[in-house]
Amino acid sequence: NAGVTQTPKFRILKIGQSMTLQCAQDMNHNYMYWYRQDPGMGLKLIYYSVGAGITDKGEVPNGYNVSRSTTEDFPLRLELAAPSQTSVYFCASSQTGGNTNEKLFFGSGTQLSVL
Amino acid sequence: GESVGLHLPTLSVQEGDNSIINCAYSNSASDYFIWYKQESGKGPQFIIDIRSNMDKRQGQRVTVLLNKTVKHLSLQIAATQPGDSAVYFCAEKGWRGYQKVTFGTGTKLQVIP
């Protein structure tokens, strides 16, 4: 049981390039999330998904896209990378959501620099 | 708007002493609170949680206290160890149809050997 796996761990992009951050979980969790963490700051929710085929925007969705074709995978797409997207990205999952109290399981993060 | 914040950005504690990390929240509708620990280069890891119908919950060497009157949350770590050095985040969640957890900015705990 690997938990939440993120790839790559590090990436440097040029302005305007695109890339996909991969996230997979093997816990059969319904809910998955993408957060970004800027230096010295807390985590901001980018997008989340409550199940396969369903996604919704979080606090800071601009410049990103997601898809959820399977329960296991929740990739995050950057279409036109900008310096403001330099950050550490964390994927997380939880079994349930809504009006239940469920802790989040996090991946180890992807450190992205846009130059 | 909603916010979750911490009083102290950095806390230095002598090994063996008790640590207290504080957190203020502003959304009175929040009904679930969580503390996460984030070690350098890693993702946050769940430590302990508490529901709004409780005012205290204990785990292994950790205790969370909730004061709803003043919207204050604290994490107490007993007999602090070097392995406790990390950034600690408080987070809150309220009923919004789907689980959306709001994180504070974090407190860095430095344990002095």
Side-chain angles (χ1 to χ4, degrees), chain A residues 7-111:
Chain A
T7 56
K9 292 189 181 300
F10 303 94
R11 185 71 185 269
I12 298 175
L13 288 180
K14 294 182 179 178
I15 295 172
Q17 286 186 318
S18 61
M19 78 162 292
T20 300
L21 281 67
Q22 301 292 343
C23 176
Q25 53 91 9
D26 60 0
M27 297 173 282
N28 201 32
H29 284 172
N30 293 316
Y31 287 70
M32 295 188 75
Y33 314 80
W34 274 106
Y35 287 89
R36 61 175 286 171
Q37 184 178 33
D38 297 327
M41 303 293 288
L43 288 84
K44 299 288 187 182
L45 182 64
I46 305 172
Y47 271 96
Y48 68 101
S49 169
V50 304
I54 306 171
T55 63
D56 205 351
K57 296 178 180 178
E59 302 172 75
V60 290
N62 292 341
Y64 307 94
N65 279 301
V66 294
S67 60
R68 184 94 182 274
S69 57
T70 66
T71 300
E72 293 78 19
D73 300 299
F74 190 40
L76 177 72
R77 179 81 177 166
L78 283 72
E79 291 294 348
L80 291 171
S84 62
Q85 293 178 305
T86 294
S87 190
V88 180
Y89 292 83
F90 289 101
C91 179
S93 71
S94 63
Q95 177 60 41
T96 59
N99 196 26
T100 60
N101 302 322
E102 190 71 26
K103 61 186 179 184
L104 302 179
F105 292 82
F106 284 86
S108 57
T110 294
Q111 187 170 329

Side-chain angles (χ1 to χ4, degrees), chain A residues 33 37 98-99 101-102, chain B residues 32 36 38 51 93 95 99:
Chain A
Y33 314 80
Q37 184 178 33
N99 196 26
N101 302 322
E102 190 71 26
Chain B
Y32 177 54
Y36 286 90
Q38 185 177 23
R51 293 195 64 177
K93 184 183 82 68
W95 166 245
Q99 182 180 35

Side-chain angles (χ1 to χ4, degrees), chain B residues 25-42:
Chain B
Y25 65 95
S26 60
N27 184 4
S28 57
S30 297
D31 61 4
Y32 177 54
F33 303 89
I34 318 106
W35 281 100
Y36 286 90
K37 173 186 180 183
Q38 185 177 23
E39 296 176 85
S40 181
K42 298 183 179 180

Side-chain angles (χ1 to χ4, degrees), chain A residues 35-45 59 87-88 90 103-104 106-107, chain B residues 3-11 20-25 32-50 62-65 73-77 84-93 101-109:
Chain A
Y35 287 89
R36 61 175 286 171
Q37 184 178 33
D38 297 327
M41 303 293 288
L43 288 84
K44 299 288 187 182
L45 182 64
E59 302 172 75
S87 190
V88 180
F90 289 101
K103 61 186 179 184
L104 302 179
F106 284 86
Chain B
S3 69
V4 179
L6 296 176
H7 295 303
L8 298 174
T10 304
L11 177 66
I20 299 176
I21 301 172
N22 296 303
C23 177
Y25 65 95
Y32 177 54
F33 303 89
I34 318 106
W35 281 100
Y36 286 90
K37 173 186 180 183
Q38 185 177 23
E39 296 176 85
S40 181
K42 298 183 179 180
Q45 184 177 17
F46 172 89
I47 303 174
I48 191 168
D49 58 1
I50 188 168
V62 294
T63 301
V64 56
L65 300 177
L73 190 71
S74 70
L75 176 71
Q76 300 178 1
I77 304 173
D84 294 327
S85 293
V87 176
Y88 291 81
F89 292 96
C90 66
E92 59 91 12
K93 184 183 82 68
V101 177
T102 301
F103 285 82
T105 54
T107 291
K108 183 176 182 179
L109 177 64

